[in-house]
Amino acid sequence: MNSLLRGNALFALAAAILWGGGDFSGGMGVKSAGGGIRNALRVVLMSHATSFVALLAIAGLRGDVFPHGALLAWGLAAGVAGGLAVTCFYTALSRGAMGASAALSGLLAAAIPAGLTLWRDGSPGVLPMVGFAVAGTAIWLIAARPAAGRMDAQAGSPAHTARRGNGLGTGFGTGFGTGMLALLSGVGFGLYFIALKMAGPAGVVWPMATARMGSLGVCSLTLLGLRLQPGGSGEARARPDLRVMGWAFATAVLDTSGNLLFLAATRAGRLDVAAVLGSLYPASTIVLAALALGELPTRRQALGMATAAAAVALIAM
């Protein structure tokens, strides 16, 4: 059990690092496209489409059998949950209170799979349980800070610049406050982790490919709905230049690799360990923003990253 837990933790940490890199690339892609929630969704669609084509090619070369029944349903459900979560998250970020939205979403994304695993499989032990609590504190410290017009690396999403989007007070999201949207996004990400775990017996490639099918469908419908709402044409469309496509391609590679590693983590050990450690991804985005853009972390974020290191040590014991 200890060796599996260590392997599980290593896979989850690697997934968090790659997810953070993918989020940094996605944020730069949206910035290059001109910002806004619609352009954020377009960059995500470019990235997910690229990822889907690559996954199909890999599955074909490997000769993997297309999943059916419950495994196919779980894969599609993972994509739908993830796509809806991203949409709610982008809308919450576009309304402001970015740090609080990111922190609430990240905490729920970790807590829901952890709670399910604890209920189903029991406690992993005293030290990992303490580590879960410490990791939750770390997520809050890393993510919860004011945006203040910067790239907002802590948000951990290609929607860092989406707060400049137009027309979001009507149409999608009407009647939902920012806190509710952040809560829904966190629930969606948590369900995504669970559904991807359940689709895992289908192999390594097909669970991610079917999840991409679900997310492409949901994000396409969301973008269409935003374009059809009043004032939907007020935002400039993404400029399909080489910079945007390059960042979208980098996002596809990093995000898909992170998802595959997360799937490997769920197959190697407990879902709660994978979900909690995977939810530390904003730290990677912050480090990249500091290295590439000179956006040094705040003292609170630095404390959060130190706290995250302590959480990792406790969980992996």
Side-chain angles (χ1 to χ4, degrees), residues 38-59:
R38 296 176 184 84
N39 284 336
L41 284 170
R42 293 181 186 112
V43 170
V44 170
L45 285 170
M46 280 192 285
S47 171
H48 283 198
T50 301
S51 170
F52 180 58
V53 170
L55 289 167
L56 284 181
I58 294 171

Side-chain angles (χ1 to χ4, degrees), residues 40-220:
L41 284 170
R42 293 181 186 112
V43 170
V44 170
L45 285 170
M46 280 192 285
S47 171
H48 283 198
T50 301
S51 170
F52 180 58
V53 170
L55 289 167
L56 284 181
I58 294 171
L61 291 173
R62 287 166 50 95
D64 293 349
V65 178
F66 185 79
H68 297 281
L71 295 179
L72 173 60
W74 279 116
L76 293 172
V80 171
L84 290 174
V86 166
T87 301
C88 289
F89 191 48
Y90 287 0
T91 308
L93 296 182
S94 72
R95 293 182 176 183
M98 186 172 292
S101 297
L104 177 58
S105 180
L107 287 172
L108 285 172
I112 291 174
L116 176 65
T117 308
L118 291 173
W119 173 74
R120 187 183 63 182
D121 299 334
S123 171
V126 175
L127 288 179
M129 288 295 294
V130 174
F132 291 165
V134 175
T137 303
I139 293 169
W140 183 266
L141 289 171
I142 292 170
R145 73 175 179 88
R150 294 172 50 168
M151 180 184 169
D152 301 310
Q154 85 286 355
S157 127
H160 303 155
T161 56
R163 63 185 178 278
R164 297 181 298 218
N166 301 319
L168 289 172
T170 59
F172 176 80
T174 299
F176 289 93
T178 301
M180 178 61 70
L181 289 168
L183 185 150
L184 291 174
S185 72
V187 171
F189 289 133
L191 294 177
Y192 169 79
F193 288 153
I194 294 170
L196 195 61
K197 161 73 172 179
M198 298 302 294
V204 177
V205 179
W206 274 122
M208 270 308 306
T210 52
R212 286 292 185 249
M213 292 167 59
S215 65
L216 284 169
V218 167
C219 290
S220 296

